[in-house]
């Protein structure tokens, strides 16, 4: 009798064929859904495989079928990927719905490590790649090194022939600006993050354009700084000292907006009665916990990941396209731009 601790022998295709009473070649064709196998024979082979808990070798199966139903997902800074994580979750969910797997590699910003992972994933015969960013910004194309379909998500390849799916920063800023204007706010200012980020520049430009369209000037210049509460507090104090008649502030992030509301409270201004505040990102830890809770723009990042997968599927089916697809955001209205509910 075999000892309890001995590892169970791996079931092979030969075992499945023997149990089903067919040849190994027929068993292989049946499990790979080849047309030349009779339906009754296919069912018999599938039942034998299920009874034996047969797990096919993915790489060997890929050699037969021409695909491994596996996608390589390559990112650069997953440890600090505040925005990449929800994109990853959306992509993984969309792939899982189609019974496809993900092999995730984090290059950590190292070009040598990145090339190593590309070679490794290709050796595993992945069917395609998703290149995942964390700043919705331009990045160098990697497609020339990858002979299978590639889609860029939450980053934009610098090669227009590549397909990139990005968040619509300008569109989100327009939602915020139009919301403030619809509330009758006329003295609107903007406090945002680092000017080196395209997202910060695009949001500021879109805000200015909306105000210009309705004949309103932006109060002062856009205040660019750090993506932090501290900057939000500092910039608000500076803004209100020079423009005390401001009645709304659109912030480039929820973290900045949390600092803005703190500073306004210290200055004796009530949000939203005196000054309405809109954030950006819908980062729950700031947006929902802020006093008062923040109206903000949700980037729909999980949907962005799912959209990238849909376009990768199309490329795998031979329908390849280049260009940039902008994933729309949505406005989440909370108390920082409306009348707070009466306490119970």
């Amino acid at each position: 009798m075999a000892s309890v601790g001995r590892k169970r022998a791996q079931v092979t295709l030969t075992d499945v064929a023997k149990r089903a009473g067919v040849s190994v070649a027929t068993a292989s064709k049946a499990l790979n859904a080849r047309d030349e196998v009779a339906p009754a024979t296919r069912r018999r082979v599938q039942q034998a495989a299920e009874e034996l808990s047969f797990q096919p070798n993915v790489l060997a199966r890929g050699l037969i079928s021409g695909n491994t139903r596996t996608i390589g997902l390559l990112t650069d800074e997953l440890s600090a990927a505040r925005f990449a994580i929800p994109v990853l979750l959306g992509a993984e969910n969309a792939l899982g719905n189609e019974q496809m797997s993900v092999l995730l590699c984090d290059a950590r910003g190292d070009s040598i490590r990145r090339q190593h992972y590309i070679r490794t994933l290709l050796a595993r015969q992945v069917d395609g790649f998703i290149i995942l960013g964390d700043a919705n910004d331009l990045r160098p194309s990697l497609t020339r090194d990858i002979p299978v379909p590639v889609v860029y998500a939450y980053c934009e390849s610098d090669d227009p022939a590549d397909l990139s799916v990005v968040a619509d920063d300008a569109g989100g800023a327009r939602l915020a600006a139009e919301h403030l204007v619809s509330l009758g706010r006329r003295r609107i200012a903007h406090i945002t993050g680092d000017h080196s980020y395209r997202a910060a520049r695009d949001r500021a430009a879109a805000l200015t354009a909306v105000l210009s369209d309705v004949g309103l000037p932006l109060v002062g210049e856009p205040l660019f700084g750090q993506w932090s509460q501290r900057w939000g507090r500092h910039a608000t104090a500076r803004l209100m000292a020079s423009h005390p008649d401001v009645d709304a502030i659109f912030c480039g992030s929820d973290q900045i907006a949390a600092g803005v509301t703190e500073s306004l409270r210290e200055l004796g201004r009530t949000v939203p009665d005196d000054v309405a505040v809109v954030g950006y990102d819908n980062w729950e830890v700031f947006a929902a916990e802020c006093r008062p809770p923040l109206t903000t723009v949700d980037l729909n990042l999980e949907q962005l990941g799912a959209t990238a997968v849909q376009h990768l599927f199309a490329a795998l089916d031979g329908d390849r396209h280049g260009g940039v697809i902008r994933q729309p955001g949505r406005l989440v209205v909370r108390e920082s731009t409306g009348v707070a509910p009466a306490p119970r």
Side-chain angles (χ1 to χ4, degrees), residues 131-147:
I131 308 298
L132 177 59
D134 189 45
N136 209 43
D137 221 323
L138 279 171
R139 62 151 301 133
S141 174
L142 300 173
T143 308
R144 63 182 177 277
D145 300 321
I146 303 174

Side-chain angles (χ1 to χ4, degrees), residues 95-272:
L95 289 166
N97 288 342
E98 298 298 325
Q99 297 185 322
M100 297 189 74
S101 301
V102 180
L103 295 178
L104 173 64
C105 294
D106 181 5
R108 304 178 196 174
D110 186 301
S111 60
I112 295 176
R113 187 188 296 266
R114 187 181 304 115
Q115 289 300 317
H116 164 70
Y117 282 141
I118 289 173
R119 291 192 298 269
T120 300
L121 290 168
L122 290 174
R124 296 292 297 270
Q125 298 186 12
V126 296
D127 298 328
F129 274 72
I130 293 176
I131 308 298
L132 177 59
D134 189 45
N136 209 43
D137 221 323
L138 279 171
R139 62 151 301 133
S141 174
L142 300 173
T143 308
R144 63 182 177 277
D145 300 321
I146 303 174
V148 295
V150 181
V151 171
Y152 295 78
Y154 202 64
C155 59
E156 182 181 338
S157 168
D158 62 4
D159 184 346
D162 292 334
L163 182 66
S164 305
V165 182
V166 300
D168 187 0
D169 283 309
R174 284 192 294 271
L175 291 175
E178 290 165 357
H179 174 64
L180 290 172
V181 170
S182 74
L183 296 174
R185 306 291 173 159
R186 294 297 179 263
R187 299 288 294 163
I188 302 172
H190 186 41
I191 298 174
T192 190
D194 192 333
H195 187 274
S196 67
Y197 283 76
R198 185 175 67 170
R201 301 191 302 273
D202 286 353
R203 294 169 194 174
L207 169 64
T208 303
V210 169
L211 295 181
S212 178
D213 287 345
V214 295
L216 294 175
L218 179 69
V219 175
E221 295 294 321
L223 296 176
F224 293 95
Q226 297 178 332
W227 301 98
S228 68
Q229 289 169 268
R230 183 176 183 178
W231 166 242
R233 291 191 295 268
H234 176 77
T236 302
R238 197 169 100 192
L239 172 69
M240 301 308 289
S242 57
H243 300 283
D245 58 345
V246 163
D247 64 7
I249 302 174
F250 171 41
C251 304
S253 76
D254 293 336
Q255 195 166 359
I256 291 172
V260 168
T261 59
E262 289 177 21
S263 184
L264 288 171
R265 194 162 51 245
E266 291 171 0
L267 293 169
R269 303 297 182 94
T270 303
V271 177

Side-chain angles (χ1 to χ4, degrees), residues 244-301:
D245 58 345
V246 163
D247 64 7
I249 302 174
F250 171 41
C251 304
S253 76
D254 293 336
Q255 195 166 359
I256 291 172
V260 168
T261 59
E262 289 177 21
S263 184
L264 288 171
R265 194 162 51 245
E266 291 171 0
L267 293 169
R269 303 297 182 94
T270 303
V271 177
D273 296 342
D274 297 327
V275 183
V277 177
V278 177
Y280 208 102
D281 300 333
N282 198 25
W283 192 352
E284 289 285 330
V285 69
F286 291 106
E289 299 302 322
C290 188
R291 295 172 48 202
L294 290 170
T295 291
T296 183
V297 177
D298 190 307
L299 296 170
N300 280 345
L301 293 178

Side-chain angles (χ1 to χ4, degrees), residues 271-336:
V271 177
D273 296 342
D274 297 327
V275 183
V277 177
V278 177
Y280 208 102
D281 300 333
N282 198 25
W283 192 352
E284 289 285 330
V285 69
F286 291 106
E289 299 302 322
C290 188
R291 295 172 48 202
L294 290 170
T295 291
T296 183
V297 177
D298 190 307
L299 296 170
N300 280 345
L301 293 178
E302 288 198 27
Q303 182 57 49
L304 191 155
T307 299
V309 168
Q310 291 166 8
H311 286 281
L312 183 60
F313 285 161
L316 291 172
D317 288 337
D319 185 16
R320 295 197 190 194
H321 295 285
V324 179
I325 296 170
R326 303 191 186 281
Q327 177 68 42
R330 62 186 179 92
L331 187 71
V332 180
V333 179
R334 297 192 180 96
E335 295 165 27
S336 68

